[in-house]
Amino acid sequence: MLLHETWKKIMTGALAFTLVTGSGTALLSTPVPVSAEETVSTKALPFTDMPNGHWAEKHVAKLSFQGVITGYYDKNTDTYTFRPEKSISQQEAVLLALRFAGLDDLADEDSLIVFGEKFTVGDFYKKYIELAFSEGLLDRDEEYQLAAADPDTEWGSKPASREWVTKLIVKAIGQEAAASQLENAPSHFTDANDVHVRYKGYVNAAYQLGLIKGLTDTEFAPKNAINRASLATLFSRAQTSFPMDYPGQISGVVSDLGEDAITIYDVGEELKFTLDANTLYYHYNSEKAINKDQLLEYGDVSVIAKDGKALYVEVLGDVQHTDSISGTFARYNETSKIFYLWIDDKPVEIQYSDAMRIEDTDGKVLTLADIKANAAVTVVREAFGESPQAISLVVAAEQAVTLMSGDFYSADSKTVTITKDGDLVSKFLAVGATVEISGLANAAIGDLIPGSDKVEVSLNDEGKVTKIKVLNRDVKVLAGARIVYYDKADKFVTVLGSDKQPLSLSLTDKTIYNYLGTTMDREAAMALINSNVNVVIKHTGANVVSVNFVLNYAGTITEIDTAAKSLSVLTTEGYTVKIPYTVTGVEWYSRPTATLADLKTGDSITVAMKMDKVEAASIRVHRTIAYDVVSVDVANKKMVIKNAVNDSVTLTLTNVKMLKPDGTNALISTYRAGDKVEVSYIGNTVMQVQEVNANSGSNG
C-alpha cells in the first residue's frame, strides 16, 4: 500500500525518538484535535433546505445515507427537502425507531390489525405500531390509556413530545435498566418537575448517555413537540450505544488513504471506496464537518457508501492500530519478504513489503542490506490484519543520551526548568518530548507538579530534553470508595475508602468525570454523588485524575472474608476492590439454590452495587457452557440448543451478542442445526453466543 511522504516524516521522527529514549512504543502521528465548535466549508448535504453549518447536519446526513430517514421529493426540481423544523407525529417517530433498530422489515404485511376503539393510527403505519408493541418499544396498555385521555386527537397523528420520544429511543437501545435505576436520580434540567413520572428515568438515562442536551443548557421542555432535526439527532447519537448494520455501511481501519480513495480493512478483507468533492467527513467528537486531512491513517472509521463511492466518512477514534517492537537486527530474505529480529534472545519473523520505509534516526534513507547484524532497530507494524506487515523500520544511529536529575520547577511550550543542587537549570524541549509518570497513561507537561515532582531528564546530543520521567509518584486507584463531602469553592472532595479512613483530594481542571461511559463536567458529576455513591477515583498525590461512577464491578474473586462479610474482586480494569455484602443469594445459571458459600476464589462474577451505599445489591456468576444447535428460528430470533446430557434450552437472542468462531459479529441466520456454540451467561442472563465450529451447511 502507498504511504504518504508527510506522514512518513512524522512517523520517522517519532521512531527516532523511540530509539533514542529506549521507549518500547511509538506514535505514528499525532491525531488532529477536533473541537466541537470547529467547522469547515461543508459539502452539499442530501437535502436542499439544510444549509451548511446547520446544527443537525451531521445527524441528518448520516441517517439519510443509512436509510433511516427520508425527505420530501419535488418532482419538478428533482430535489429533496428535509423540513428540519417540522414537528413529527408519534406514528412517524415509531417507524423511524423501527428503521433505526433494523426491525421494520419484520412488520407483517398480511395480517389484519385491529386496535382499541379510541386508538387511531394511519393505515400505512398500523403494521409498524403493532410491531413496536410486540418488540417492546411501546407499551400497549400505556399508549391506549394516553389515547383515551386525549380523545380529540388521533394517537398516530399527534405530535410526538420530547419526553415521549426520549422513552421510545431509550427502549429502542435496550437501556430500560438504566432508566429504572435513574428514575429517582436528580435531574440536570431545571424544568424536571414538568417531566411526567413515567418518563423521568428515561430522560435522566438519555441525558447521562449523551442522547439529549435540552433546548438550552438547563431546560428540557418535555411537553414540546419534537421536530425532525431534533429526532434525527437523537437517533444518530443513540447509535453510539446501539450500533446497527445498515446497507452500504462498513466500519473498520483505514489501511490506505489517497487523494481520491480510502481503503478500509474489515474482517480479513480490504474494501476501497472513491472520494470526491461531495464526500462528507465528520469526527465522533464534533457535531460539525471536518476536512479530509483530519482522517487518521490506521485509525477507526465508519463509511457509508453507494456504488463504490464513499458518501459519509466518520472518524470513530483517535488511536492508530499499529504496534512497535524493538530488538536487534538478525538477517533478511528478500525473496520471501521476511526479516528477523532478536528479541529476548529469540528470533522473531516479520513480514514486509517494498513500501516499508527504512531510515536511521538521523533521517538517512537505508536499505535492508545497509543494516548491520545486531544493530538496534524499532519496527512499526500494522496491528489489524491477519498477516501484519512492517510499515517502517528505524535503525538507531550512534547518539549519546545524557541524564540529569532534580526537582521540577516549571515548564512552558519551549523549555523546562528544574532545580539541581540548589540552582535553576533550564533546557529547551526537543520536538516530540514525552513525559512518563507511572500509572498515568498519555502524561503531558501539564501533569507535572512544581516543587513536588523529582524528575529525571533525558537530553539528546543537542542538549534538548527528549523525555521527563517522574521518579517519586504514580497513580493510585480508590475503588469501593464514596465521596462524603464536596467543597465547590475550593474544589476538593473528602473520600471515604474501604478502610473507613477519610482522604482529602483536590479536583483540578484536568480531572475527568465519567458516568456510564459518558463524560460530564464537574458540577454535573458532583450533583450525582448522593444518588449514586459508588465511584472509582484515580489520583496522583493529592490531585484527582478521574472520577468514574460505577453501577457494578466485574472481575475475579481474590478473597472472601466471611467474618467481615466482604468480597475482594480483581476487576477487568486491573484494580482490586473490596465490596461489603449483606445478600446471601447468588444468581448462578443452572444452580438456583446457590449461595455465597458456593463461591470460591478464582470465580468470575459481576457485582451490582446499591445506589445509596457501597454494598453489593446482587452477585451474578459468569459461566460459559458448550451446546449443540438443534434449530434456529430467524424470524423470532430464537435458537433451541442442547447440552452434553441432551437437556434442551430455548434461547431468545434479542440484545444478545452473536459471534463467529473468529470473534467477529454474526447474525442469527449464520447459525445452522448441528453447529456447536458456547453460550456465556452472567447469572441467568445470556450475554453472548459464539460459534465454535461451522458444519458444512453453515454460511459462516
Side-chain angles (χ1 to χ4, degrees), residues 286-308:
S286 174
E287 302 282 286
K288 302 299 183 182
I290 64 173
N291 290 312
K292 174 177 166 289
D293 59 12
Q294 290 176 279
L295 300 183
L296 188 64
E297 195 161 17
Y298 303 113
D300 294 299
V301 298
S302 177
V303 175
I304 306 174
K306 183 178 181 181
D307 299 328

Side-chain angles (χ1 to χ4, degrees), residues 535-554:
V535 293
V536 175
I537 296 175
K538 293 183 179 180
H539 66 98
T540 175
N543 292 330
V544 176
V545 176
S546 65
V547 178
N548 184 29
F549 290 86
V550 296
L551 298 180
N552 54 61
Y553 293 101

Side-chain angles (χ1 to χ4, degrees), residues 408-584:
F408 176 69
Y409 182 80
S410 66
D412 55 32
S413 61
K414 295 182 179 180
T415 61
V416 60
T417 301
I418 67 172
T419 303
K420 180 175 175 61
D421 299 327
D423 297 324
L424 293 178
V425 180
S426 296
K427 296 290 183 180
F428 285 106
L429 288 167
V431 175
T434 61
V435 175
E436 181 180 322
I437 302 174
S438 178
L440 181 62
N442 302 316
I445 292 288
D447 295 310
L448 297 170
I449 303 175
S452 175
D453 284 338
K454 296 186 180 299
V455 297
E456 179 184 80
V457 176
S458 298
L459 305 174
N460 62 18
D461 57 356
E462 296 178 346
K464 293 183 177 181
V465 177
T466 58
K467 179 181 178 181
I468 304 170
K469 181 179 180 180
V470 177
L471 304 175
N472 62 330
R473 67 182 171 106
D474 59 12
V475 175
K476 299 185 182 301
V477 178
L478 288 173
R482 64 188 179 95
I483 299 172
V484 295
Y485 176 72
Y486 165 53
D487 190 303
K488 181 177 180 180
D490 293 325
K491 300 177 184 177
F492 75 88
V493 292
T494 301
V495 181
L496 196 64
S498 58
D499 59 0
K500 304 303 181 184
Q501 296 298 312
L503 176 66
S504 289
L505 298 171
S506 297
L507 304 174
T508 74
D509 292 339
K510 294 181 178 295
T511 302
I512 298 171
Y513 307 88
N514 187 284
Y515 191 98
L516 299 179
T518 299
T519 301
M520 59 179 59
D521 60 33
R522 180 190 300 128
E523 295 311 315
M526 292 298 104
L528 297 174
I529 62 175
N530 294 320
S531 59
N532 184 359
V533 303
N534 292 279
V535 293
V536 175
I537 296 175
K538 293 183 179 180
H539 66 98
T540 175
N543 292 330
V544 176
V545 176
S546 65
V547 178
N548 184 29
F549 290 86
V550 296
L551 298 180
N552 54 61
Y553 293 101
T556 304
I557 298 175
T558 58
E559 182 184 8
I560 304 175
D561 188 339
T562 55
K565 289 192 174 182
S566 67
L567 291 171
S568 293
V569 177
L570 176 60
T571 67
T572 54
E573 287 79 17
Y575 58 82
T576 297
V577 57
K578 190 173 184 179
I579 306 172
Y581 64 82
T582 56
V583 296
T584 56

Side-chain angles (χ1 to χ4, degrees), residues 19 334 598 643:
L19 284 167
E334 188 171 5
D598 296 308
N643 59 19

Side-chain angles (χ1 to χ4, degrees), residues 371-391:
I371 304 176
K372 298 178 181 179
N374 298 319
V377 300
T378 293
V379 177
V380 172
R381 300 182 300 179
E382 302 167 349
F384 52 85
E386 295 177 353
S387 302
Q389 291 193 350
I391 300 168

